[in-house]
Amino acid sequence: MTQDGGTTGRGEGSGSGSGDETLSEAFWSVARQLRHTSQETLAPWDITPAQLRALRVLMRRGVMRLSELSDHLHIAARSATEVVDALEARGLAQRRSDPDDRRATLVEVTEHGTGVLEAIRAARGTEAERAFDRLTPADRADLARILRELRD
């Protein structure tokens, strides 16, 4: 697979005039559809995918320093600060001083943030059901196994 998501044309068909979609083209097409649907699902909460990822990390890992959050999100510290600023402005997260190091700032999810995250999870669960409903249970299980294999 090339950096832009294309293929070298080996093994899966080059798509040379036959109109056949390559495996990577099909994968990226589905990924785009899922990303679009996901953004539509997040719209009522005025939350970005990056903010959602930060909320999820904070829910899973608990209170943490901004530097730890940026490490978990694999983003620059400045970007993590911007994400937390947006979450804090919406009352979804809050900062507080680190009692062990007054120079450091801790971040945690608020009660409101927990409720919003639960509502988003429910909406996204419904969204996922619709997206994968066309597959048989066996096909869904196979797809999940294959995707986990590719991820790991």
Side-chain angles (χ1 to χ4, degrees), residues 85-94 108-114 116:
D85 286 347
L87 292 174
E88 198 170 31
R90 289 173 179 82
L92 304 173
Q94 64 186 13
E108 62 188 332
V109 177
T110 63
E111 190 174 316
H112 176 60
T114 300
V116 166

Side-chain angles (χ1 to χ4, degrees), residues 54-133:
L55 273 179
R56 285 178 165 163
V57 167
L58 291 169
M59 281 296 295
R60 246 189 338 266
R61 306 270 180 183
V63 178
M64 64 176 52
R65 289 183 177 182
L66 268 172
S67 59
E68 291 176 279
L69 180 60
S70 69
D71 288 345
H72 282 287
L73 296 173
H74 305 290
I75 59 175
R78 179 174 170 77
S79 297
T81 298
E82 291 171 0
V83 167
V84 171
D85 286 347
L87 292 174
E88 198 170 31
R90 289 173 179 82
L92 304 173
Q94 64 186 13
R95 290 180 171 97
R96 61 181 164 95
S97 297
D98 185 339
D100 298 329
D101 181 355
R102 285 186 279 163
R103 297 170 296 166
T105 301
L106 298 174
V107 183
E108 62 188 332
V109 177
T110 63
E111 190 174 316
H112 176 60
T114 300
V116 166
L117 190 55
E118 288 171 1
I120 290 171
R121 280 184 182 151
R124 291 186 99 190
T126 302
E127 159 199 319
E129 286 173 25
R130 280 194 311 267
F132 297 107
D133 232 10

Side-chain angles (χ1 to χ4, degrees), residues 21-44:
E21 187 176 42
T22 66
L23 179 59
S24 64
E25 289 168 340
F27 175 85
W28 289 114
S29 177
V30 171
R32 278 190 299 278
Q33 288 174 356
L34 290 173
R35 188 175 22 255
H36 178 73
T37 303
S38 178
Q39 288 171 342
E40 285 179 346
T41 302
L42 293 177

